[in-house]
Amino acid sequence: MPITKHSRLVASTVAVALGATALAACGSGDDSKAASGPVSLTYWTWTPGMDKVVDLWNKGPGKKDQITVTVKKQASGDTLVTKILTAHKAKKAPDLVQAEYQALPTLVSNDALADISKEVGDAKGKFASGVWQQTTLGTDALYAVPQDIGPMMFYYREDLFKKYGLKVPTTWEQFAETARALKKKAPDTDLTTFSANDSGLFAGLAQQAGAKWWTTSGEKWKVGIDDAATRKVATFWGDLVKDGSIDNQPMYTPAWNKAIDTGKQIAWVSAVWAPGTLTTAAPDTEGKWAMAPLPQWSDSQDVTGSWGGSSTAVTTDSPHQAAAAKFAAWLNTDGDALNALAKDSGIYPASTSAQLSGAFTTPPAYFSNQPDFYTKAAEIAKTTAPAAWGPNVNVAYTSFKDAFGAAAKNKSDFAAALKTMQDATVTDMKKQGFGVSE
């Protein structure tokens, strides 16, 4: 199979879309053997405190194997993806890169990531299947080792739920009823807000509902952003915004911080990393929040979405792919490394064994009132729905912010905003030369 931008991406991701595992991906060449003698690797990452974690490697396993890793701090998101691709075009990409899961198809399509499936030993058994699938793209290849994940959860002010006589919703129907009941009891108080400034939140909610935004058939892509599952999610939140049952302001602003710190907003649909955000945004309410599973679309369901998460990948430009893969596996499976990542970087590990050990045997300080916080988080993480990403997530996310930002502000039709997002994504894919079936 020729390794071209479009054919390689379709080949690598068709199994994700269809749930298959037998499709073999095109490799990037068998140049993964590490050179003899000392090896120096460069790692591009945005994770805070990574220097301290890498020091553990350099003074321990790395020293023994004569493999030294140097951290080069980078910006995250699309900025880093662009920088990696630019460096790769010049054949000067670093040995290792941190990559968000949704960025992997783009990097693979540009032949920037090496297949390290033969270099990571038994690492697969240390991760939930849905998480591992995001780094294999559903094939027999492996393009990265999972690092952290962001299973979604429901956070609420335990004291104020009691004050207003509210029950924790277990379904989205109950969630809407709770929002409307609160408005009647306390008109100046909102259950939560719909925020259009973080596309990952909406993507995770759609994922929980069963959406698959990118799928493939043969050599063509199908964009399903405006599918039934996502329309259900968009309509649900649009109705709550239109009738004033919830707020329509974006998150992470001074106004939002004040709202959750003062009890003007008493719940937040977020992910496992929320305690860190709340510590800064709502310092006066420490010990007053509790965490529960995300509401479900039906009583029989038990599934959550994912908001965030990243992996450690080895580039095709690295002359020391085996050594780089060895470090990537150590970083994301070794107990000491994961404890250090939790302590110095604040991540929630993808490794299932690490989720109930070390730093995760006690709750976050902000949630000291909920001793089983991480036990419950680990159980929720197991229910994460598989994700299906495509080659232009950045375009879809930008369109979401524009279209839904306007719809939320104007309290206009969320379904129309979703169609705008769909159309923008399809138009961009066609412009890039991808085959897209209607």
Side-chain angles (χ1 to χ4, degrees):
M1 181 185 298
I3 302 174
T4 61
K5 177 177 179 179
H6 300 158
S7 68
R8 186 170 192 245
L9 182 57
V10 171
S12 299
T13 54
V14 64
V16 174
L18 303 180
T21 58
L23 182 63
C26 297
S28 58
D30 187 15
D31 58 348
S32 61
K33 294 181 180 180
S36 59
V39 171
S40 295
L41 306 173
T42 301
Y43 179 26
W44 284 3
T45 174
W46 66 82
T47 300
M50 185 60 77
D51 309 61
K52 297 179 181 179
V53 184
V54 169
D55 279 345
L56 294 177
W57 166 267
N58 289 336
K59 294 175 181 177
K63 184 176 182 179
K64 178 182 177 183
D65 294 337
Q66 294 186 299
I67 302 171
T68 301
V69 178
T70 300
V71 170
K72 297 289 185 182
K73 285 295 181 64
Q74 307 293 325
S76 59
D78 293 341
T79 301
L80 179 55
V81 173
T82 300
K83 187 173 181 179
I84 293 169
L85 293 178
T86 300
H88 173 61
K89 286 180 181 178
K91 301 189 182 303
K92 294 182 178 179
D95 301 279
L96 296 134
V97 294
Q98 183 175 0
E100 293 178 291
Y101 297 119
Q102 69 266 23
L104 291 177
T106 299
L107 294 171
V108 169
S109 76
N110 285 277
D111 198 28
L113 302 186
D115 174 6
I116 56 173
S117 56
K118 295 180 173 61
E119 314 294 344
V120 297
D122 61 351
K124 179 179 179 180
K126 301 181 184 296
F127 303 93
S129 59
V131 174
W132 188 256
Q133 183 191 47
Q134 292 200 76
T135 54
T136 66
L137 303 186
T139 72
D140 292 333
L142 177 70
Y143 297 107
V145 180
Q147 183 167 105
D148 61 303
I149 55 174
M152 295 176 68
M153 301 156 184
F154 178 68
Y155 293 86
Y156 63 100
R157 280 284 298 274
E158 201 169 22
D159 58 331
L160 296 182
F161 262 57
K162 183 176 181 180
K163 174 183 176 180
Y164 296 123
L166 305 175
K167 292 183 179 180
V168 179
T170 59
T171 66
W172 287 114
E173 182 180 3
Q174 291 174 9
F175 180 94
E177 292 170 353
T178 301
R180 293 176 175 126
L182 175 62
K183 269 297 176 186
K184 290 181 180 179
K185 296 179 179 182
D188 293 331
T189 304
D190 295 296
L191 180 65
T192 192
T193 188
F194 178 85
S195 174
N197 68 344
D198 200 314
S199 319
L201 170 58
F202 185 73
L205 291 171
Q207 181 185 338
Q208 186 213 19
K212 290 183 173 60
W213 284 0
W214 284 271
T215 56
T216 57
S217 178
E219 290 293 312
K220 289 190 175 183
W221 286 90
K222 182 175 178 60
V223 180
I225 292 174
D226 190 16
D227 65 358
T230 311
R231 281 196 298 273
K232 177 170 65 176
V233 174
T235 300
F236 175 82
W237 288 94
D239 288 347
L240 290 175
V241 168
K242 287 175 191 174
D243 66 22
S245 297
I246 62 173
D247 197 6
N248 62 343
Q249 301 302 310
M251 302 179 296
Y252 311 130
T253 64
W256 180 77
N257 291 349
K258 183 177 180 180
I260 61 172
D261 199 28
T262 60
K264 187 180 183 305
Q265 282 185 27
I266 67 171
W268 183 27
V269 175
S270 188
V272 69
W273 42 258
T277 301
L278 291 171
T279 299
T280 302
D284 295 335
T285 59
E286 180 176 335
K288 296 180 180 180
W289 291 78
M291 178 269 284
L294 209 60
Q296 303 292 310
W297 286 104
S298 70
D299 289 327
S300 61
Q301 282 186 316
D302 184 16
V303 63
T304 193
S306 181
W307 183 5
S310 63
S311 62
T312 308
V314 176
T315 71
T316 51
D317 292 339
S318 173
H320 309 298
Q321 292 176 17
K326 188 171 187 177
F327 167 77
W330 172 88
L331 178 65
N332 300 306
T333 62
D334 180 82
D336 291 337
L338 291 168
N339 281 332
L341 279 171
K343 178 183 176 183
D344 297 319
S345 306
I347 74 156
Y348 185 71
S351 167
T352 52
S353 60
Q355 292 167 8
L356 293 173
S357 64
F360 303 100
T361 56
T362 57
Y366 195 91
F367 280 79
S368 58
N369 56 304
Q370 191 170 6
D372 66 344
F373 181 95
Y374 282 124
T375 302
K376 184 172 290 187
E379 289 300 314
I380 293 172
K382 294 177 183 177
T383 71
T384 303
W389 303 111
N392 63 341
V393 174
N394 60 323
V395 172
Y397 275 17
T398 298
S399 178
F400 167 82
K401 292 177 183 179
D402 293 340
F404 278 85
K409 181 179 180 180
N410 301 327
K411 297 186 177 182
S412 58
D413 188 4
F414 275 33
L418 187 64
K419 187 176 187 307
T420 298
M421 185 180 170
Q422 164 90 13
D423 292 345
T425 305
V426 170
T427 298
D428 175 75
M429 288 183 70
K430 289 180 177 179
K431 183 179 180 181
Q432 289 192 58
F434 288 100
V436 181
S437 61
E438 300 296 336

